[in-house]
Amino acid sequence: MKAAQTQLNRYGAGLAVDGAFGDGTDAKVRSFQSSHSLDADGIVGPDTWRALVTGSSGGSGGSSGLLTHSQAAALFTSAGIGWTSSGNCSDRNSTSCTSFDGLRQASADGAVTLKRASGCALTITGGTETGHASGTYSHWNGYKLDFALTTCLSNYITGTFAYSGTRGDGAALYTAPSGNIYAREGSHWDVTFLN
């Protein structure tokens, strides 16, 4: 809730960032939702969170579409997000490449939102290439991106999102109000963009 209060304060809410969802926070959420053509239900769900962070209104706008590598790369470049590949390549079928082929639009948008909200320099170190764990919400299916560890990014994630436990492999988990999950792996942040 602190993350939502912080974002609401960017729009002049004047809330105490205490993590308590009281009447004042509820009223400010509803007011924000009304002014951004969202359902004024007082719930900071995916659409409200997206509007708080990006300033845009409305729904996801076809965020389930899949991108080509060049489409995603252009989006990241325009947002100031970098990426690296141990093999200096973008072949989706090579584990030494970093590919964005088949990345969901919502995942690309989530990376841009993370960049804007955190103010941190972001470098993607893993995309949709083979070699990651399988599953519905996997890298291959376009739901995940890996980001290089930086003090700025780590401080933003751990200071803004709720700690939500430990994954089976020991990675500490943090969950955003949008539902996105940030896993602190050994050399990077593994981010699952669910919305």
Side-chain angles (χ1 to χ4, degrees), residues 51-71:
L52 280 168
V53 173
T54 67
S56 64
S57 60
S60 57
S63 61
S64 62
L66 301 180
L67 302 174
T68 65
H69 180 83
S70 59
Q71 288 171 323

Side-chain angles (χ1 to χ4, degrees), residues 6 15 46 63 115 148-149 166-167 178:
T6 299
L15 295 167
S63 61
K115 165 84 171 136
L149 287 179
T166 305
R167 201 167 62 186
S178 64

